[in-house]
């Protein structure tokens, strides 16, 4: 089972495209991915407090997950360095299923490893990318013209074409 949950806490409603392109390095909030019984990240199961902010770069996560799908489609292993857990990384390998492993970055020691259906991972990542794009459209459609979001849209298009 693969389940992704996220919520944007950055106030992006009134940001200009120029400011976003020059001063921002992503869109932040809470991000959680569940792989079978293992959970990476955090998503609050409650109403957010006023001015509460998450520290995960949602744009980074979705972009890396999309790149992972492209690499898996090409028969290659893919590694995601975790920004908020600087001693950890996730490795995707494709066999009959996708093997997702959580490793200590320095020692490469596997902390846990899970198998999931290929299509389940792909569907969940694409579904959440679409939700993210719709959320950006609702909050500030100008940002879809930014270099970071154009790249995300290109990565998604590459997958959808296959």
């Amino acid at each position: 089972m693969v389940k992704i949950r996220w919520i944007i806490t950055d106030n992006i409603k009134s940001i200009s495209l120029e400011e976003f392109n020059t001063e921002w390095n992503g869109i932040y909030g809470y991000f959680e991915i569940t792989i079978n019984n293992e959970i990476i990240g955090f998503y609050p199961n409650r109403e957010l407090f006023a001015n509460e902010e998450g520290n995960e770069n949602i744009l980074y996560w979705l972009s890396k997950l999309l790149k992972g799908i492209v690499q898996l489609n090409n028969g290659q292993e893919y590694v995601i360095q975790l920004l908020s857990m600087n001693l950890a990384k996730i490795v995707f390998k494709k066999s009959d299923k996708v093997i997702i492993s959580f490793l200590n970055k320095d020692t490469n020691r596997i902390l846990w490893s899970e198998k999931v259906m290929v299509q389940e991972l792909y569907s969940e990542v694409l579904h959440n990318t679409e939700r993210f794009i719709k959320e950006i459209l609702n909050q500030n459609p100008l940002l879809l013209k930014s270099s970071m979001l154009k790249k995300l849209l290109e990565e998604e298009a590459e997958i959808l074409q296959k």
Side-chain angles (χ1 to χ4, degrees):
M1 177 212 51
V2 178
K3 179 74 176 151
I4 297 172
R5 299 187 310 162
W6 54 267
I7 187 168
I8 295 172
T9 57
D10 273 346
N11 183 1
I12 59 172
K13 289 183 176 156
S14 59
I15 240 147
S16 73
L17 180 58
E18 182 181 341
E19 182 182 356
F20 187 78
N21 273 332
T22 58
E23 297 177 24
W24 289 58
N25 66 348
I27 297 176
Y28 286 78
Y30 293 103
F31 186 93
E32 177 183 276
I33 183 168
T34 303
I35 300 141
N36 296 331
N37 294 317
E38 302 293 343
I39 298 172
I40 301 170
F42 173 75
Y43 181 89
N45 290 321
R46 58 169 171 72
E47 289 264 335
L48 296 180
F49 300 122
N51 298 320
E52 184 174 1
E53 296 181 3
N55 66 344
E56 289 289 342
N57 186 339
I58 300 165
L59 183 56
Y60 175 87
W61 268 103
L62 293 174
S63 178
K64 292 297 184 181
L65 290 168
L66 286 170
K67 286 178 186 172
I69 289 173
V70 170
Q71 293 295 99
L72 290 172
N73 281 340
N74 293 332
Q76 299 174 340
E77 182 178 296
Y78 187 71
V79 177
I80 300 174
Q81 298 294 331
L82 300 184
L83 298 177
S84 63
M85 293 178 260
N86 60 3
L87 294 178
K89 63 183 177 182
I90 301 172
V91 177
F92 289 178
K93 292 181 186 178
K94 190 174 178 181
S95 58
D96 57 328
K97 295 183 176 186
V98 177
I99 303 167
I100 302 172
S101 302
F102 187 76
L103 286 79
N104 178 300
K105 184 178 84 171
D106 292 336
T107 65
N108 277 334
R109 192 176 122 247
I110 296 174
L111 303 173
W112 56 258
S113 193
E114 295 287 332
K115 287 185 179 184
V116 296
M117 300 299 292
V118 173
Q119 192 55 45
E120 187 177 11
L121 174 66
Y122 290 12
S123 294
E124 187 67 8
V125 171
L126 289 170
H127 168 74
N128 277 279
T129 301
E130 280 299 311
R131 270 190 52 232
F132 184 74
I133 291 165
K134 286 178 185 171
E135 184 67 24
I136 300 302
L137 271 171
N138 281 342
Q139 290 194 36
N140 189 342
L142 281 177
L143 298 185
L144 291 178
K145 296 178 181 178
S146 72
S147 54
M148 286 185 283
L149 285 159
K150 279 183 180 177
K151 188 169 174 116
L152 183 78
L153 292 167
E154 289 168 6
E155 291 163 349
E156 180 192 34
E158 183 178 347
I159 293 167
L160 293 173
Q161 289 174 355
K162 292 186 178 188

